[in-house]
């Protein structure tokens, strides 16, 4: 997808205040509104301006967008960084079911977000992103009239090994807000969280009372941390199950062998049956992520052929070629 420079689209500096962004939007919306504009590609430009304003008018979306940096150029190929959204704390609780890393949105916000670009959706989700969600904003307490403080949400990135064993983290989260002059401010909020063994990708960890703090009395909101699993060089994760690709030699494949297989809990001995093939799967029960029903570890075999890079190695392959009546393409016909 192509990167979109929202500041360039709006014609404002990256340091622009909220008022400057609002004025730029009103001017451009009048200029490109498809009902009245005679500009070329007015409808397309109007949608681009709407999308840019949707991001830059919101302190949270803007702060998250700004962390991408200014080195990207409009139209350049783009993919969100793996740690996208990490280190930020946003208003709104998680949506029901698996929470989106960027929070939820109301139906109205969803309708507004329709037609936005793939770039927008990749950062903020199809429903328009950070703000909104299932927080308690607007709820009133009893006769005191105090507004219930909102829940907040953030993400925490962990290694698969940490998910297996559990860990404790101290996180410094940035809360985007607007200063009185309309410029963006990031306030640091530090939390300490215990991540239980067996936590899964997308699971929510609730920190009671660590969301928005109440004004005029009332109950503080909660902070929900959504777990994001970092890619692992050995294992692919699905739920609580892990899959490992295990390289084996042709003779281990043909004759069978006992080999040491790495698992999240340490190496274990596993028997490879004779005449095993590449792609064949084996299972180690209970060797995935722990839980009430522990996950399994699947072993996918991959036969690795040694190089024929010496006269002796070439001779071995020549002997196999002469003595083994074997054609792996016999079933293909033709």
């Amino acid at each position: 997808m192509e990167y979109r420079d929202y500041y360039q689209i709006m014609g404002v500096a990256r340091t622009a205040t909220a008022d400057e962004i609002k004025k730029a939007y009103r001017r451009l919306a009048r200029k490109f509104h498809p009902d009245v504009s005679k500009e070329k590609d007015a409808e397309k430009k109007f949608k681009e301006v709407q999308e840019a304003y949707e991001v830059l008018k919101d302190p949270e979306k803007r702060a998250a967008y700004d962390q991408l940096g200014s080195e990207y150029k409009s139209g350049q190929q783009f993919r969100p960084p793996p740690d996208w959204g990490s280190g930020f704390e946003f208003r709104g609780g998680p949506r029901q079911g698996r929470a989106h890393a960027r929070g939820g949105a109301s139906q109205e916000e969803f309708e507004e977000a329709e037609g936005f670009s793939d770039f927008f959706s990749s950062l903020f989700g199809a429903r328009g992103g950070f703000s909104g969600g299932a927080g308690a904003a607007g709820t009133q307490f009893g006769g005191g009239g105090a507004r219930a403080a909102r829940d907040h949400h953030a993400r925490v990135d962990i290694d698969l090994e940490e998910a297996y064993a559990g860990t404790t983290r101290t996180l410094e989260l940035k809360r985007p807000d607007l200063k009185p002059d309309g410029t963006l401010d990031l306030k640091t909020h530090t939390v300490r969280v215990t991540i239980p063994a067996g936590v899964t990708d997308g699971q929510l960890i609730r920190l009671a009372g660590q969301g928005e703090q109440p004004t005029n009395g009332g109950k503080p909101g909660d902070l929900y941390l959504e777990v994001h699993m970092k890619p692992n060089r050995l294992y692919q994760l699905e739920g609580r199950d892990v899959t490992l690709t295990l390289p084996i030699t042709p003779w281990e494949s043909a004759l069978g062998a006992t080999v040491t297989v790495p698992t999240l809990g340490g190496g274990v001995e596993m028997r490879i049956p004779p005449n095993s093939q590449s792609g064949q799967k084996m299972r180690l029960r209970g060797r995935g992520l722990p839980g009430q029903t522990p996950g399994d570890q699947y072993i996918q075999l991959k036969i690795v052929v040694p190089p024929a890079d010496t006269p002796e190695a070439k001779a071995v392959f020549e002997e196999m070629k002469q003595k083994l009546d074997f054609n792996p393409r016999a079933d293909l016909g033709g």
Side-chain angles (χ1 to χ4, degrees):
M1 76 192 74
E2 293 184 351
Y3 176 81
R4 292 202 169 190
D5 188 334
Y6 291 135
Y7 291 101
Q8 184 182 80
I9 291 170
M10 296 290 290
V12 298
R14 295 182 71 88
T15 55
T17 65
D19 283 343
E20 289 170 339
I21 290 169
K22 183 184 291 186
K23 289 176 183 177
Y25 170 72
R26 288 174 174 170
R27 175 177 53 82
L28 293 171
R30 284 193 299 268
K31 181 177 180 181
F32 295 118
H33 197 289
D35 290 345
V36 296
S37 178
K38 300 194 184 306
E39 297 279 344
K40 184 180 178 181
D41 297 328
E43 184 174 358
K44 177 184 176 183
K45 291 177 180 176
F46 182 71
K47 287 181 177 179
E48 290 177 350
V49 169
Q50 280 189 308
E51 180 175 318
Y53 186 56
E54 174 69 21
V55 174
L56 299 186
K57 74 178 181 181
D58 185 294
E60 299 180 344
K61 289 192 187 79
R62 184 179 177 184
Y65 175 74
D66 283 351
Q67 76 166 322
L68 295 175
S70 58
E71 67 274 13
Y72 293 101
K73 303 301 179 185
S74 199
Q76 141 181 18
Q77 286 300 304
F78 171 82
R79 178 175 295 179
D83 60 351
W84 165 250
S86 236
F88 281 81
E89 180 180 330
F90 299 104
R91 296 186 303 267
R95 297 183 61 81
Q96 290 184 346
R98 173 169 174 161
H100 195 282
R102 303 149 187 81
S106 65
Q107 179 63 27
E108 180 182 353
E109 286 171 319
F110 173 70
E111 290 169 356
E112 282 184 4
E114 285 184 345
F116 284 173
S117 68
D118 290 342
F119 174 76
F120 178 93
S121 296
S122 73
L123 297 182
F124 305 111
R127 290 182 175 264
F130 289 108
S131 60
T139 304
Q140 303 291 322
F141 284 105
R147 178 178 65 79
R150 287 171 293 194
D151 294 337
H152 284 187
H153 66 273
R155 62 179 270 177
V156 54
D157 298 313
I158 66 172
D159 295 320
L160 186 56
E161 291 80 4
E162 292 176 311
Y164 178 82
T167 188
T168 300
R169 285 284 190 85
T170 299
L171 306 178
E172 285 197 352
L173 302 174
K174 299 180 181 69
R175 289 178 173 173
D177 206 353
L178 286 180
K179 294 189 285 188
D181 64 358
T183 57
L184 197 62
D185 186 26
L186 293 177
K187 297 179 180 177
T188 300
H189 173 55
T190 302
V191 297
R192 186 170 176 83
V193 56
T194 298
I195 299 171
V199 67
T200 55
D201 192 46
Q203 185 172 328
L204 297 172
I205 299 174
R206 174 174 170 262
L207 300 182
Q210 297 203 44
E212 182 181 64
Q213 297 306 302
T215 56
N216 301 323
K219 180 182 178 183
D222 299 330
L223 172 61
Y224 289 87
L225 297 177
E226 183 182 6
V227 173
H228 280 246
M229 216 70 71
K230 296 178 184 177
N232 190 280
R233 72 178 188 89
L234 293 181
Y235 305 101
Q236 290 77 50
L237 177 66
E238 185 173 347
R240 294 188 182 277
D241 297 334
V242 295
T243 298
L244 169 77
T245 298
L246 183 70
I248 60 173
T249 64
W251 47 92
E252 288 171 332
S253 164
L255 304 175
T258 298
V259 299
T260 301
V261 176
T263 75
L264 292 169
V268 299
E269 297 294 300
M270 186 185 78
R271 176 68 183 169
I272 298 172
N275 299 314
S276 295
Q277 300 295 321
S278 265
Q280 185 174 330
K281 277 192 173 183
M282 306 174 69
R283 180 167 67 172
L284 296 174
R285 292 184 181 274
R287 290 287 181 169
L289 290 180
Q292 188 171 1
T293 303
D296 299 326
Q297 177 167 322
Y298 291 90
I299 311 298
Q300 183 164 307
L301 302 180
K302 178 183 178 182
I303 299 172
V304 179
V305 179
D309 54 359
T310 65
E312 293 80 7
K314 290 179 181 178
V316 172
F317 281 109
E318 284 290 346
E319 184 178 2
M320 292 174 64
K321 176 181 175 181
Q322 298 299 324
K323 291 185 176 180
L324 298 180
D325 182 17
F326 178 63
N327 179 8
R329 298 174 296 280
D331 291 340
L332 299 182

